[in-house]
Amino acid sequence: MTVLAHHTDTLTRDALAVLQPGFEGTTAPAWLLRRVGEGLTAVGLFGRNISSPDQLSALTAQLRAERDDVLVAIDEEGGDVTRLEVRGGSSFPGNLALGAVDDTELTRDVARELGHRLAECGVNLNWAPSADVNSNPDNPVIGVRSFGADTDLAARHTAAYVAGLQAAGVAACTKHFPGHGDTNVDSHHALPRIDVDLDTLTARELVPFRAAIEAGTKAVMSAHILVPALDPTRPATLSPRVLTGLLRKELGYEGLIVTDGMEMHAIAGTYGIERGSVLAIAAGADAICVGGGLADEATVLALRDALVAAVREGTLPEERLADAAARVRALADWTRLSRAAVTDAGAREGNAPDIGLTAARRAVLVSGSPTPVTAPYVATLAPVANIAVGDETPWGVAAELAGLLPGTESGVYPEGTGAGDVLAAAGERTVVAVVRDAHRHPWMIEALDALVAARPDTVVVEMGLPRAEPRGALYIATHGASRVCGRAAAEVIAGV
């Protein structure tokens, strides 16, 4: 092999190594396996790739047959954002519920059990936890994905979550740096802007990330947000000031920096995916997450070639690409060694398999006086789900309540329907009105007020951020919409 050919091969392998692409289907396509063999070091999985634990285990085994240390990443936050249980709802509450309980040992145990379940299926990198301080209650994309609005609470639970997840041999990826909690725009759709001063950022947004770094988080995910106090022109994902200056130099972080999904409109609609990926690596990112919306070989090849071309043109230093690839491979090696260590250790350190339900029960907040309910009518007032959560995962209390109270009936009501529609369907049954972030949706508040006025015995279940004034004879806040949160609320209603 000539020196030029060897150099080209090295560049190509390094360019492949920094990509974290997705794909369609529940088995690995031939093109993906071929690229793994050529140097692709990470693969991202989404709900479309998972049908059961056995199927997921077979899929990850397929990938490891090509490369034993391949990073298999997933966006499994528990709670509202689940990929492992996308079709039935998560067995674990999300961050807000854990923050509401405020027991860091519980948070660590929940994260460890979740980590064990991921590891058993061959997943070794989790794009979680969210360390964002939810300082803006109208935030359309974070909300219950945050541990809460209190900075110190978010910091201590972020650290506990990182420790628990990594104790199971699964690398944590703390997100969304430098903090996505004070936005009022979803970066899936546009580029959010946070206009706060540096002192506020330091005292609020950065504190949980410092805690995660001290806890040893193996990865940090950047946010597609513009923070003028840090960089007035480039979003964090593309900013040397944010990724290299702040995260690397000031905070002293040495682990892997992963971008949020590059196909999100905040990047794709402004810089474009290929240019954005080059700028991200040049800024200090080590891995390009892409595949939530783009999941084909053409995307992988286009990004690979864009990175190689940038090195040859001098717009991306070769040593920067090599350093990024080396960090990816170092994490892959850590996960391989951790997998072996956890397997050798054997037992799950006494974790109860139903710890998620235990946590969800502890997170429930109840006000009002429970009254006997026999066969209620459950009306779910359903907002449009944000992209991170997705609309394919079921939520609510209807299914769980029907299992406890036979004869329960239910209906789902989108924006545009009102109390009259619910009352007509409910007849004489007690109404259980289920909402999600009612404070962000005036139509929900209007419908709830009318329902309670017409039926004072109405039960209200808030499964989002409980910011609106409690309503109904019985008000239940679950601090999340996972399956176990629905179960916990149903138990309160049914009196069990």
Side-chain angles (χ1 to χ4, degrees), residues 377-382 411-435 441-456 458 460 471:
Y377 182 80
V378 181
T380 303
L381 308 184
V412 177
Y413 297 86
E415 183 173 2
T417 55
D421 302 291
V422 174
L423 293 171
E428 298 302 314
R429 296 169 179 266
T430 298
V431 174
V432 176
V434 184
V435 296
H441 304 284
W443 69 274
M444 284 189 195
I445 297 296
E446 182 180 348
L448 289 178
D449 286 343
L451 283 171
V452 172
R455 297 283 187 82
T458 294
V460 176
R471 290 164 168 80

Side-chain angles (χ1 to χ4, degrees), residues 56-81:
L56 179 54
S57 296
L59 169 57
T60 58
Q62 246 191 315
L63 295 167
R64 293 211 162 82
E66 294 294 329
R67 183 187 182 109
D68 182 56
D69 65 346
V70 67
L71 289 168
V72 181
I74 198 169
D75 195 6
E76 181 57 54
E77 299 176 14
D80 292 28
V81 180

Side-chain angles (χ1 to χ4, degrees), residues 64-350:
R64 293 211 162 82
E66 294 294 329
R67 183 187 182 109
D68 182 56
D69 65 346
V70 67
L71 289 168
V72 181
I74 198 169
D75 195 6
E76 181 57 54
E77 299 176 14
D80 292 28
V81 180
T82 179
R83 312 304 179 215
L84 198 61
E85 299 179 275
V86 67
R87 290 167 180 79
S90 181
S91 300
F92 300 91
N95 284 2
L96 188 67
L98 295 173
V101 177
D102 195 12
D103 179 344
T104 54
E105 184 175 349
L106 177 67
T107 295
R108 185 167 50 250
D109 288 346
V110 166
R112 188 173 60 205
E113 178 62 23
L114 176 58
H116 279 302
R117 296 194 192 183
L118 291 172
E120 286 173 348
C121 295
V123 176
N124 54 12
L125 172 58
N126 191 10
W127 294 318
S130 168
D132 307 297
V133 178
N134 197 53
S135 51
N136 182 351
D138 291 326
N139 192 313
V141 68
I142 301 300
V144 297
R145 301 168 66 197
S146 166
F147 288 110
D150 181 88
T151 298
D152 291 337
L153 179 144
R156 62 178 174 265
H157 285 277
T158 295
Y161 199 104
V162 167
L165 194 62
Q166 294 186 169
V170 176
C173 182
T174 305
K175 60 188 183 185
H176 307 79
F177 187 82
H180 210 309
D182 193 20
T183 59
N184 57 13
V185 172
D186 186 341
S187 51
H188 291 89
H189 302 299
L191 179 62
R193 177 185 175 111
I194 297 182
D195 285 305
V196 297
D197 57 49
L198 189 57
D199 288 344
T200 300
L201 286 168
T202 301
R204 188 178 67 188
E205 269 73 20
L206 297 184
V207 174
F209 290 97
R210 289 184 185 272
I213 292 168
E214 291 174 4
T217 186
K218 293 297 177 181
V220 169
M221 178 176 283
S222 66
H224 303 330
I225 56 175
L226 185 66
V227 187
L230 298 175
D231 189 328
T233 59
R234 287 192 177 179
T237 293
L238 311 183
S239 172
R241 296 185 190 180
V242 174
L243 299 188
T244 300
L246 177 58
L247 183 53
R248 287 278 186 231
K249 294 181 179 179
E250 186 175 332
L251 300 188
Y253 177 65
E254 294 294 333
L256 191 76
I257 299 178
V258 184
T259 72
D260 206 345
M262 296 299 283
E263 70 273 25
M264 293 164 64
H265 198 72
I267 299 296
T270 53
Y271 292 84
I273 296 172
E274 293 175 27
R275 180 172 177 243
S277 296
V278 170
L279 290 173
I281 297 294
D286 305 303
I288 301 297
C289 176
V290 64
L294 297 171
D296 54 67
E297 184 177 21
T299 298
V300 173
L301 296 181
L303 293 178
R304 179 202 66 183
D305 294 347
L307 291 167
V308 170
V311 170
R312 289 176 173 162
E313 293 164 1
T315 55
L316 174 62
E318 184 175 351
E319 59 271 22
R320 171 77 275 272
L321 179 61
D323 174 65
R327 290 182 191 274
V328 174
R329 294 176 186 128
L331 180 59
D333 193 51
W334 179 88
T335 60
R336 180 179 57 81
L337 295 174
S338 296
R339 184 171 79 244
V342 171
T343 299
D344 290 343
R348 290 191 177 186
E349 306 176 40

Side-chain angles (χ1 to χ4, degrees), residues 10-64:
T10 298
L11 279 180
T12 299
R13 292 184 69 83
D14 285 351
L16 281 173
V18 303
L19 303 180
Q20 294 188 351
F23 62 94
E24 298 285 348
T26 54
T27 59
W31 70 262
L32 183 67
L33 297 175
R34 183 168 63 253
R35 301 306 172 189
V36 170
E38 293 174 356
L40 186 67
T41 311
V43 175
L45 301 183
F46 299 87
R48 62 175 180 254
N49 304 122
I50 301 168
S51 61
S52 71
D54 288 343
Q55 169 271 323
L56 179 54
S57 296
L59 169 57
T60 58
Q62 246 191 315
L63 295 167
R64 293 211 162 82

